[in-house]
Amino acid sequence: TVDSVSVRKQYVNAPDAKVTIKLVGADGNAINTKEETLSGMEYNTSKTITLNWTVPSDLASGSYIEVSITDAGGNAIATVYKLTYSK
């Protein structure tokens, strides 16, 4: 199970953000996706985004979780985080 992901506002003047979290199979197809808009966060505070995703028992090596954070215009405001699974 993937329970949650936490993100932190790292810059004082950072804009509101859209966080997209994906569990992607080795074939490149999304298994689960969650998007959440974060607005009004104070500098250096965190937000936990609840997922409660059940990971398939047959998840293939090369599958991954990707977390991206963009502004309202879809421009990246943080480096994409990618965690790859291998058996």
Side-chain angles (χ1 to χ4, degrees):
T1 301
V2 179
D3 293 321
S4 62
V5 171
S6 295
V7 295
R8 181 173 60 89
K9 184 171 182 175
Q10 297 179 349
Y11 301 105
V12 173
N13 296 321
D16 291 344
K18 181 173 88 172
V19 179
T20 303
I21 305 137
K22 294 180 184 179
L23 174 59
V24 181
D27 60 2
N29 293 318
I31 298 168
N32 283 309
T33 300
K34 171 95 179 222
E35 291 183 347
E36 189 158 327
T37 300
L38 304 179
S39 60
M41 286 182 67
E42 297 293 325
Y43 166 67
N44 207 29
T45 59
S46 314
K47 167 75 176 170
T48 299
I49 300 168
T50 302
L51 302 172
N52 289 325
W53 291 344
T54 299
V55 176
S57 60
D58 61 347
L59 189 69
S61 287
S63 300
Y64 58 91
I65 293 175
E66 180 180 277
V67 180
S68 61
I69 303 173
T70 60
D71 63 15
N75 301 302
I77 57 174
T79 303
V80 174
Y81 179 80
K82 186 175 179 180
L83 178 67
T84 304
Y85 173 75
S86 71
K87 289 186 177 185

